[in-house]
Amino acid sequence: TVVDYRIAIEENCVSVCSDPSALSTQANRLLNDAIENGSLVESLKASSETLMTLLANAMATSLVVPTTGVTINWYPNWRGTSSICLNDNNEPTYMKVFGNYYESSLDACCRRYFQWDLTNCLGVAGSVPSGFYPSWGRSETKCLNSTETPETLPYNVEHWLEYDIASCCKIHFNWAYNDCVSLSGGSPNLVATSKWYVNHKEEICQQDCPEEGGGPCGGLVDQWNKLFDTAAACCKEKLSWIASPICESVSTLSPVVGTSQWYVDWSLNKCVKDCVDSSDANCGGILSPYDPPYGSSSECCDKIWYIEREQCTLG
């Protein structure tokens, strides 16, 4: 009678198994040696009386043992508050009985059971993706560097990562963009546009750039404040009651220069020029946005026809 046996060897590695194939080869060699020298049969006989009777005249002549891989059983450690996987062969009995809790690698176990805390579970074996993610659930609106704060990485952090601070703040904290960049450690120059916005308190237009930059910089613009490409455009729309040349000059910190066109100074009932040159007797100051300009004194004087022509101007 020929009895076919299949022998499977399972080895749980308590420490790191650097070369599983070498362990398998060694186990197979020892088993085959036991077959060849008859010690396997003798050991089986000695293990029980039943086997002794069955194997009274048995002799192992040949046995094919397939190369057996080393099984590393990683299981979830749900004891306490830890979010880690272990392979120390100390799993609870129910896991051993049912057997469907195991994974063959730390990575597979962590991704199956602790996806929400993957970095902590993988430990030094895991690689932290680089980038910036939103710091939700905290009082500060800022973005965190994933490589500097691996202990607070959110679930599926890859879905929230942005390549730099500016992108992270713009996407996740757009309503507090400037504060976010600053609190996240970014430079204000990253977000400065150098465009223009109105300062209603000072009644001027200022540039969107850090105040320490000097000049017309008024600090970083609030998200709700409209930006303009030029000071002139800002003055025209937001400070229309101020003469545009004055608004532009004050905003850009440059000398006030008029248009040299003519307009009616109704307080004098005379036509004057839009200028501030003391050497020009006809200069009447900067034109108000409410007074229409005229290309010549004659055209302006037509508007106050009741004044004699020679009395119409200052000069």
Side-chain angles (χ1 to χ4, degrees):
T1 302
V2 177
V3 180
D4 230 353
Y5 288 94
R6 178 189 174 108
I7 301 176
I9 299 176
E10 181 175 327
E11 175 69 22
N12 287 301
C13 289
V14 176
S15 59
V16 177
C17 298
S18 59
D19 192 353
S21 62
L23 291 174
S24 176
T25 300
Q26 175 69 5
N28 286 337
R29 186 182 65 79
L30 292 174
L31 186 57
N32 278 308
D33 287 347
I35 292 171
E36 291 176 2
N37 62 31
S39 61
L40 176 63
V41 173
E42 294 304 317
S43 296
L44 291 173
K45 288 179 181 180
S47 64
S48 74
E49 292 184 2
T50 302
L51 284 176
M52 181 181 293
T53 302
L54 290 172
L55 301 175
N57 299 311
M59 181 179 66
T61 57
S62 65
L63 182 64
V64 177
V65 181
T67 301
T68 306
V70 177
T71 301
I72 305 175
N73 284 333
W74 292 89
Y75 68 92
N77 178 35
W78 287 320
R79 302 182 184 96
T81 58
S82 65
S83 304
I84 59 175
C85 289
L86 299 174
N87 67 332
D88 56 5
N89 206 30
N90 290 321
E91 62 270 36
T93 303
Y94 70 88
M95 290 188 183
K96 295 179 180 179
V97 172
F98 293 102
N100 58 347
Y101 292 89
Y102 300 117
E103 292 294 339
S104 61
S105 68
L106 173 62
D107 185 79
C109 180
C110 288
R111 291 186 182 278
R112 177 179 175 184
Y113 294 107
F114 302 112
Q115 180 71 39
W116 51 273
D117 197 10
L118 195 58
T119 303
N120 181 54
C121 181
L122 290 173
V124 294
S127 59
V128 178
S130 61
F132 293 85
Y133 64 94
S135 177
W136 286 321
R138 297 173 178 82
S139 58
E140 294 179 329
T141 52
K142 65 180 183 179
C143 290
L144 301 175
N145 189 328
S146 62
T147 58
E148 295 176 358
T149 56
E151 69 282 355
T152 61
L153 292 181
Y155 174 66
N156 281 341
V157 65
E158 293 87 353
H159 296 299
W160 311 110
L161 280 181
E162 304 300 333
Y163 67 93
D164 60 14
I165 290 174
S167 299
C168 180
C169 289
K170 185 174 183 179
I171 292 173
H172 301 294
F173 298 110
N174 186 53
W175 66 93
Y177 179 61
N178 296 334
D179 289 339
C180 175
V181 171
S182 178
L183 290 171
S184 302
S187 168
N189 292 318
L190 287 174
V191 297
T193 65
S194 294
K195 292 187 177 184
W196 298 82
Y197 65 93
V198 68
N199 181 334
H200 286 291
K201 182 178 180 181
E202 301 295 333
E203 291 195 328
I204 59 173
C205 287
Q206 296 178 305
Q207 271 190 301
D208 174 31
C209 47
E211 288 184 87
E212 53 269 25
C217 292
L220 297 179
V221 67
D222 292 319
Q223 289 301 300
W224 55 84
N225 223 336
K226 184 177 179 179
L227 287 169
F228 299 87
D229 291 331
T230 64
C234 176
C235 288
K236 182 177 180 180
E237 181 172 326
K238 295 296 184 179
L239 298 169
S240 59
W241 59 92
I242 301 174
S244 185
I246 293 179
C247 178
E248 290 179 50
S249 297
V250 173
S251 297
T252 58
L253 306 180
S254 57
V256 178
V257 179
T259 64
S260 294
Q261 291 184 299
W262 293 81
Y263 67 93
V264 176
D265 183 339
W266 296 103
S267 66
L268 300 175
N269 267 337
K270 288 183 179 294
C271 285
V272 297
K273 290 175 69 175
D274 176 27
C275 57
V276 289
D277 186 355
S278 59
S279 64
D280 188 337
N282 283 310
C283 283
I286 298 301
L287 174 67
S288 164
Y290 304 109
D291 293 323
Y294 302 100
S296 65
S297 60
S298 176
E299 184 182 357
C300 178
C301 288
D302 286 343
K303 295 299 178 181
I304 48 175
W305 50 269
Y306 47 88
I307 303 294
E308 296 290 337
R309 287 280 170 165
E310 59 271 17
Q311 299 295 320
C312 177
T313 62
L314 294 173

